[in-house]
Amino acid sequence: MSTEQEENAPRTGVGSYIYGIVPVGTRIPDDLAPLPQEGDPGIGLVVAGDLAAVVSDISTDRPLGTRKDLMAHEQVLNAIAQDTPVLPMRFGAVVTDDDAVADELLTPHQDYFVRALEQMKGLTEFLLRGDYDQTAVLTRIVEDNPEIQRLREQIAGLDEDASYYDRIKLGEAISNSMDRLRQQDADATLDPLERFAEATVVKEPGGENGAVHVAFLVRTDHRSDFERAVDELGDAWSGRVNLRLIGPTAAFDFLPEYEAPDQDEG
Amino acid sequence: MPVTVSQRQGGGGGVQKQPSGGLAEVLDLILDKGLVIDIFVKVSLVGIELITIDARIVVASVDTYLKFAEATNRLDLHQKGGKDLGEFMGGMTENVTQGGAKGKTKGMLDAGKEKWDEIRGTDDENEKQSASKSRRG
């Protein structure tokens, strides 16, 4: 059952798209939707030794990266990550056929993949994102900062051209205040949540209103404690920061380093 | 005060739980993270053109754009009523905040629109292509 295709039939224009790698014997959900492809080939497993790769057929002559493509990659992996460790591939991994998946990806790198899956056992990733309520955060910044208040009053009622430089000054002061706030809030996020995570990665919040963006590697038996702590933080920040908890996702942010072996098979 | 705040937001407090992220989070993960196939497979690798760089720029703008639209909506409400804001502020004088938020939002809105137009102008082809293709699947 190493491949579903007939042997010896080279398929022109069709390759194998790889989503990720799971331990052999893993049952994947039936209703997974693959990257869009004519003929709707469905998602399959290519097995080699202790490993299985999650794959689907894909045209090699169209560029990848539509919204549907991207969401399909993520959703297939997330659905699997609900109950089993999975090593996610970066988007866009295509090889010629399923044989190549077994012979060139799984078999030669078996040791690393098996070890990585072992390390990921019982662990799952969550992403916590928070956005400031714009009005609330601006209000607080203005309230807390006499200099900003002064600038505001100075500008009030003035013609836009006349107040041009003061407006820039005001905007800069607000932006600096927001950066300081982000720093504080990153700490305030880690403080109550870190203890429930095996590892954390603090990421760029992004966007005008981005407040926090942290990835957590959580043990599945700590999951409910973790989620409760997130809820408490959400309540404490209600109206100021809108929190979203995404996951469980495949552990994209916590993959063990791959060290290429010395010998080079040519 | 927290009660007023959550009412005003419509959604209330609490954390939104999502099994998967929106496109912005997805891009952050699957384009920058995950095992890179080139490291493992050399011979049978199929190089496929990725159009995701453009997608990322457009998505960033759309997200920003939507947030500004939302912010403007909120401000419109306050301007009509004025009361919501006063309650929410809990002691701050109304006109100070109203003016401040409005001024800032308008500036950002203009900037956001310029960026969006710029991207739309250069990426139209890509967008159409992806839209028609993805519909087929």
Side-chain angles (χ1 to χ4, degrees):
Chain A
M1 135 144 193
S2 86
T3 163
E4 288 165 2
Q5 265 81 44
E6 319 96 293
E7 264 126 281
N8 307 330
R11 302 167 303 161
T12 47
V14 179
S16 296
Y17 185 94
I18 310 167
Y19 300 84
I21 299 168
V22 294
V24 71
T26 299
R27 292 186 49 143
I28 60 169
D30 301 326
D31 51 351
L32 298 177
L35 268 71
Q37 165 71 5
E38 258 170 73
D40 229 342
I43 285 192
L45 290 170
V46 175
V47 173
D50 295 332
L51 301 167
V54 182
V55 301
S56 69
D57 283 353
I58 195 81
S59 295
T60 52
D61 50 10
R62 74 159 172 114
L64 298 179
T66 66
R67 183 189 174 90
K68 261 193 171 172
D69 292 340
L70 296 159
M71 297 308 281
H73 182 97
E74 167 80 354
Q75 275 160 13
V76 165
L77 286 168
N78 273 6
I80 296 170
Q82 298 302 310
D83 8 65
T84 186
V86 51
L87 304 176
M89 301 299 296
R90 191 168 299 189
F91 180 81
V94 180
V95 299
T96 47
D97 55 22
D98 290 354
D99 286 342
V101 176
D103 300 341
E104 277 191 63
L105 178 66
L106 298 182
T107 306
H109 309 102
Q110 177 119 331
D111 289 352
Y112 165 71
F113 292 140
V114 168
R115 202 164 3 123
L117 282 168
E118 199 59 43
Q119 285 176 33
M120 288 292 141
K121 214 168 173 181
L123 297 170
T124 184
E125 175 168 340
F126 281 92
L127 291 169
L128 184 65
R129 292 204 71 143
D131 287 309
Y132 289 117
D133 180 291
Q134 198 172 49
T135 313
V137 74
L138 291 180
T139 303
R140 180 163 301 192
I141 285 173
V142 173
E143 266 177 338
D144 289 351
N145 193 318
E147 171 63 12
I148 287 178
Q149 274 176 43
R150 194 190 59 77
L151 273 167
R152 280 215 65 279
E153 277 153 27
Q154 193 171 317
I155 290 163
L158 278 183
D159 177 53
E160 284 201 1
D161 288 337
S163 61
Y164 183 72
Y165 290 105
D166 281 340
R167 283 152 56 84
I168 291 178
K169 245 163 111 185
L170 175 62
E172 191 185 14
I174 288 173
S175 168
N176 290 340
S177 299
M178 265 181 103
D179 286 343
R180 277 194 297 276
L181 203 57
R182 280 194 187 98
Q183 204 105 54
Q184 286 168 23
D185 286 337
D187 294 341
T189 307
L190 287 175
D191 220 33
L193 299 179
E194 220 169 13
R195 79 190 73 161
F196 301 113
E198 303 301 301
T200 56
V201 175
V202 177
K203 305 168 152 218
E204 271 295 306
E208 287 289 328
N209 300 326
V212 292
H213 187 187
V214 186
F216 295 91
L217 187 67
V218 179
R219 268 173 52 181
T220 41
D221 55 351
H222 287 167
R223 181 176 164 180
S224 50
D225 291 335
F226 172 75
E227 289 197 45
R228 201 171 310 123
V230 170
D231 282 334
E232 279 164 19
L233 185 66
D235 288 343
W237 282 0
S238 173
R240 190 173 81 84
V241 178
N242 302 312
L243 285 181
R244 285 183 298 141
L245 185 65
I246 300 156
T249 69
F252 277 99
D253 287 296
F254 302 100
L255 291 174
E257 290 274 331
Y258 174 70
E259 281 155 37
D262 282 342
Q263 90 274 22
D264 199 54
E265 327 150 66
Chain B
M1 185 162 84
V3 177
T4 318
V5 168
S6 51
Q7 274 174 353
R8 195 191 53 85
Q9 280 186 323
V15 180
Q16 222 183 312
K17 306 253 170 89
Q18 307 171 321
S20 279
L23 195 46
E25 286 87 30
V26 169
L27 290 174
D28 177 61
L29 288 183
I30 74 178
L31 296 185
D32 296 336
K33 303 283 161 56
L35 302 174
V36 181
I37 188 73
D38 318 27
I39 293 176
F40 302 102
V41 176
K42 312 281 182 200
V43 180
S44 304
L45 187 70
V46 178
I48 286 199
E49 190 191 340
L50 297 184
I51 52 172
T52 49
I53 311 285
D54 306 324
R56 200 175 339 204
I57 298 167
V58 172
V59 166
S61 317
V62 170
D63 276 1
T64 313
Y65 208 47
L66 291 176
K67 273 177 202 141
F68 290 149
E70 196 192 332
T72 322
N73 260 342
R74 267 204 311 263
L75 291 171
D76 281 350
L77 278 176
H78 300 327
Q79 275 157 10
K80 274 174 214 148
K83 266 183 190 162
D84 284 355
L85 190 64
E87 282 167 27
F88 166 62
M89 305 257 309
M92 180 120 188
T93 59
E94 256 173 51
N95 55 354
V96 169
T97 319
Q98 253 179 340
K102 186 173 126 200
K104 181 157 168 79
T105 310
K106 184 167 173 290
M108 291 196 291
L109 197 61
D110 287 344
K113 182 158 170 11
E114 270 164 37
K115 186 95 187 265
W116 174 241
D117 287 342
E118 199 180 288
I119 286 152
R120 283 300 288 265
T122 52
D123 275 0
D124 252 8
E125 239 172 68
N126 257 342
E127 280 215 291
K128 264 181 226 149
Q129 206 185 2
S130 19
S132 66
K133 285 209 171 159
S134 59
R135 223 166 270 141
R136 221 186 293 152

